[in-house]
Structure formats: structure tokens, C-alpha cells
């Protein structure tokens, strides 16, 4: 069976090591006790388990993991990856990145990650439901899930459907638990999910890029005109993150010149219509053959090497390495995926005058909106429910008064724009935008003001390490 493929399990077993390498490098710019740094860096709990499911006429044993990297804040948080390539090293690395990610965007969670080693395409919906429910039961048995313990979410290969199975299994096995729905985020709206969660990661990446290119001083250094308008972007991955990143960047005024997927890549310097490429791929099963493309490549990696200003790897880890970094034309790499750039490639890229917006900041929009969903679940009230009408009434009174005093009547559109109270989606998007913008400048300040910090990633790590150290000290765990 594909999921027992030993080759798949041997690949990329340096991902957690790479994260630790980046951590160690950043740690020298902090002043913490070596023991405390070690505590921050280590994976606290690694739960590896196997369970059988019925498949066809027989059974199959499924390999699965849940890693809780750090409990300096509770609950721990992170998605569940459904992939036949998943291995323990990868889940540990991704859990660690969640810890730093949450600290960077000031989301009060520790980091965690889950993995189920299957290719979802090889399973029926019924089998996927059985796998997901059994996975959840195994987590419940070991106290590895709960609104105050560890809260999973979607990741590569999973989505709202899987989250609803998890929520239902958890609620069924914890009857009467008032906050049961806060055991998982990324749920469908009908099952106490939140507006805007599905597109949150991509929207966050797009905001991060827009903020980065808006800083005149930094753009001057790397030889780009400031501003998102007209920036030429290549996106790798048309999944949830890549698709939404491309869509929002185009909305902000960038030109999507290239799109890459497993089967190949397409390019058009005048721009590609993301929505219609997505539809084309859905209908034909391939990104290739899209009529709006001027060039196409059956070797997907060639797509990354085409002319552009910004490259957004939004698929999987280890895509930009020493092997291809010298062919990359972009000036900015914005990491939509986790771990797409190897440490070696990163230092070459910076030495050539490039800039990398690091994963643990760039793709933190997902967990940020997950935090809002969790808050909604614990408070049992949708955002905006208490204040929307109050705001509208207050705004109406104000507009009426101003119209009365000035004698100027606003048009119906002007009136409704001013009066309208915020909806849940607007509040979520505003919280997300604020988080991404503030966090970018926090990282940038560290980058700019600390001598010898040479990458935004190191600056992001330094900020995260300092915040986590404070949490440990506040817990009284460290003197
Ligand atoms: N899987 C996403 C990530 O890597 C989301 C995690 C979450 O929402 O908890 O950030």
C-alpha cells in the first residue's frame, strides 16, 4: 500500500533539524539561559499511534501522529496533515513552527501538529470518515485533544469536512461539555465555524506581501519600486493557501504571471486569471492546456524559475534549495507553505540581495482566524451580534444630526456606507489585517535595529523566543 512506502518515510528527515538550526542561530541574539532555550526548542510530547480501518474486503493499518511541541501556553494548536509523505520528523518540525508562529502573531497558544499517513485520494468518503473519527478517538484516549488541551485544525489534505467529523466525535464522547465545539477549528459555518476562516491563510499571505512591498526604504535596498500595484507574482500551489493568496494579491493590484502545480506550470507576463485557471484545472485535471498561458512547462519546477518580482511557494516544504536557488529570478520569496526554503538557499538568496518573508509569519493568518473561531466557540456568541444594531442606531443618529445641521443630504449609498455596523466577516478580516500588519513591523523593527541579524526569519525567531521565554517565566517554571 502507498502509505507503507519506506522510501516516502526516508525523505526530508532534516526538516525538524532545519527548524532547530534556525532557532539556534537566532538564539545567539537573545540572552536566555541555555536550559530555557533547550526547553523552548524541544518537542514536549510526541504521540505516534497506529489503528486499523476496514478497507475493501480486508483491513489496513494507518500510521498517525500528534505532536505537542510546547505547552508554554494552553491549548496547543495546529493542523492535521493528511499525506502519504508525512513522517515523524515533519510533524515535529511543523509543530515547532506552530509554536513560533503563534508567538509571532500574539496568539496565546502553544504549537502542535498532527499527521495521518494516507493519500486521501485513495480512500472513499466513508473510509476517510472512519479514519478521522478513529484518529480523534485515539487522541481523546490519551488526552491529546480538547478546547483547553490541544485544538487541531485543517492542514494539507484536510478541510472543513474532516474538522466537522472531529468536532462531532469529540462532542459525542464528551456529553454535556459546554465548550466541546472549541476542540477543533476550521469547522463549517453551520457547525460553529467562523466566517473568513477558509480564505484566512491566503488573505494573510497577501497582506504580508502588500505590507512588505509598501516599505519604501526596504524596496529601495532590493531594487523594487514600492507598492503592490503591478508587482509580478508567481505562486506555487493552487490549494487553499495558494489559490487565495493569488486571488487576494490580484485584488490588491499585483499581476499573477505564473502558477505551478504538481503536473506542470503556466506563465503569461501579461497576467493569468486565477479563478479561470482554477476552473480549468478542476475541469481537465491539469493546469496545463490553459488557453490564457503563453508558456507552459511539464517540469513544474521550471515555473518557479521564470521572471517575476515575488515568488510565493504555497505547496510543501523543501521546494527552494541549493539546487535551484541560483535560478530563482524573484526579489522576494513569501513563504505561504511551511519550510519551503532550505537554510542554505536562504543565505544564498539574501547574499544576492533578496528578501524572504518567513513562513511562521507569512502563513500565520490561518491560526489567527482559528483563534477568533475558538474565542467564538468559548463565548457562544457570533462576533458583531451584541453591537451591530447598536452601532447602526448610533451612526444613524449622528448622520441625521449632521444632515440637519448642515442641510446637506447624503445619497442612500453614502448613508448606508457610514451607518452600517460591522458583520462577523468584517470583524474577522479587520482583526486579521491588523495582526498581519502589526506583526510585520514588529519583526522588521528587530531586523533593522539589531546589528548582525541578517534575515527576517532570524528576527521573527528572536521575537518569538523572547515572548515564549516570558511565558515560561510567568508560569514560574523558570526563575
Ligand atoms: N494548519 C494551519 C497552519 O499551519 C492552521 C493551524 C490552525 O489553524 O490551528 O498554520
Amino acid at each position: 500500500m502507498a502509505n507503507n512506502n519506506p522510501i516516502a518515510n526516508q525523505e526530508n528527515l532534516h526538516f525538524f533539524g532545519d527548524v532547530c538550526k534556525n532557532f539556534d542561530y537566532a538564539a545567539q541574539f537573545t540572552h536566555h539561559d541555555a536550559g530555557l532555550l533547550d526547553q523552548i526548542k524541544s518537542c514536549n510530547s510526541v504521540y505516534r499511534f497506529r489503528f486499523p480501518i476496514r478497507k475493501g474486503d480486508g483491513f489496513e493499518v494507518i500510521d498517525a501522529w500528534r505532536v505537542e511541541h510546547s505547552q508554554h501556553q494552553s491549548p496547543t494548536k495546529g493542523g492535521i496533515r493528511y499525506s502519504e509523505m508525512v513522517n515523524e520528523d515533519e510533524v515535529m518540525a511543523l509543530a515547532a513552527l506552530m509554536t513560533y508562529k503563534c508567538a509571532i502573531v500574539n496568539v496565546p497558544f502553544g504549537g502542535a501538529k498532527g499527521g495521518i499517513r494516507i493519500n486521501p485520494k485513495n480512500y472513499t468518503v466513508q473510509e476517510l470518515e472512519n479514519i478521522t473519527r478513529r484518529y480523534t478517538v485515539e487522541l481523546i484516549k490519551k488526552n491529546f485533544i480538547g478546547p483547553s488541551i490541544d485544538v487541531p485544525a485543517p492542514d494539507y489534505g484536510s478541510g472543513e469536512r474532516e474538522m466537522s467529523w472531529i468536532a462531532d466525535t469529540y462532542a459525542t464522547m464528551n456529553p454535556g461539555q459546554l465548550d466541546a465545539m472549541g476542540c477543533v477549528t476550521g469547522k463549517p459555518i453551520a457547525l460553529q465555524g467562523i466566517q473568513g476562516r477558509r480564505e484566512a491563510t491566503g488573505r494573510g499571505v497577501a497582506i504580508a506581501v502588500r505590507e512588505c512591498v509598501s516599505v519604501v526604504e526596504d524596496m529601495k535596498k532590493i531594487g523594487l519600486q514600492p507598492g503592490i500595484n503591478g508587482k509580478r507574482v508567481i505562486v506555487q500551489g493552487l490549494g487553499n493557501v495558494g489559490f487565495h493568496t493569488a486571488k487576494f494579491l490580484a485584488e490588491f493590484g499585483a499581476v499573477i504571471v505564473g502558477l505551478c502545480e504538481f503536473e506542470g506550470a503556466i506563465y503569461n507576463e501579461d497576467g493569468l486569471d486565477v479563478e479561470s485557471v482554477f476552473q480549468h484545472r478542476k475541469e481537465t485535471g491539469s493546469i496545463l492546456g490553459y488557453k490564457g498561458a503563453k508558456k507552459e512547462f511539464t517540469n513544474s519546477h521550471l515555473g518557479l524559475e521564470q521572471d517575476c518580482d515575488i515568488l510565493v511557494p504555497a505547496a510543501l516544504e523543501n521546494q527552494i534549495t541549493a539546487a535551484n536557488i541560483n535560478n530563482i529570478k524573484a526579489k522576494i520569496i513569501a513563504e505561504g507553505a511551511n519550510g519551503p526554503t532550505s537554510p542554505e538557499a536562504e543565505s544564498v538568496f539574501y547574499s544576492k540581495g533578496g528578501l524572504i518573508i518567513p513562513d511562521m509569519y507569512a502563513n500565520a493568518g490561518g491560526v489567527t482566524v482559528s483563534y477568533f473561531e475558538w474565542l467564538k466557540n468559548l463565548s457562544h456568541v457570533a462576533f458583531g451580534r451584541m453591537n451591530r444594531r447598536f452601532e447602526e442606531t448610533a451612526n444613524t443618529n449622528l448622520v441625521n444630526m449632521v444632515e440637519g445641521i448642515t442641510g446637506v443630504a447624503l445619497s442612500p449609498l453614502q448613508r448606508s456606507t457610514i451607518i452600517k455596523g460591522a458583520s462577523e466577516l468584517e470583524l474577522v478580516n479587520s482583526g486579521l489585517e491588523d495582526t498581519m500588519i502589526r506583526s510585520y513591523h514588529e519583526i522588521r523593527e528587530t531586523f533593522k535595529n539589531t546589528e548582525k541579524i541578517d534575515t527576517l526569519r532570524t528576527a521573527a525567531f528572536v521575537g518569538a523566543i523572547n515572548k515564549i521565554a516570558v511565558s515560561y517565566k510567568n508560569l514560574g517554571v523558570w526563575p
Side-chain angles (χ1 to χ4, degrees), residues 77-79 98 101 113 151 153-155 185 197 338 363 366-367 370:
K77 189 87 188 77
M98 286 307 302
K101 191 184 297 190
K113 203 78 170 196
V151 180
D155 198 78
T185 61
R197 173 64 186 84
N338 290 308
N363 67 35
V367 75
S370 275

Side-chain angles (χ1 to χ4, degrees), residues 59-169:
F59 289 93
E60 186 185 319
V61 178
I62 305 290
D63 288 298
W65 290 265
R66 184 75 185 168
V67 172
E68 292 173 357
H69 172 261
S70 174
Q71 278 102 351
H72 70 286
Q73 299 260 25
S74 286
T76 50
K77 189 87 188 77
I80 305 171
R81 183 161 286 204
Y82 287 48
S83 156
E84 61 190 331
M85 302 297 283
V86 95
N87 59 56
E88 194 162 305
D89 175 80
E90 181 186 29
V91 185
M92 286 168 69
L94 294 168
L97 285 173
M98 286 307 302
T99 295
Y100 309 126
K101 191 184 297 190
C102 291
I104 287 164
V105 289
N106 298 310
V107 163
F109 294 143
K113 203 78 170 196
I116 304 180
R117 192 190 287 157
I118 57 165
N119 179 350
K121 292 198 181 81
N122 298 340
Y123 295 81
T124 63
V125 172
Q126 184 60 60
E127 287 162 354
L128 287 172
E129 178 169 352
N130 293 347
I131 292 170
T132 306
R133 288 189 183 275
R134 179 64 190 259
Y135 177 87
T136 311
V137 170
E138 295 298 329
L139 296 187
I140 295 170
K141 274 161 60 182
K142 298 283 185 195
N143 218 11
F144 262 73
I145 184 170
S148 59
I149 300 167
D150 185 358
V151 180
D155 198 78
Y156 185 83
S158 60
E160 287 167 26
R161 181 184 61 181
E162 287 71 19
M163 301 308 114
S164 70
W165 292 329
I166 294 173
D168 183 57
T169 308

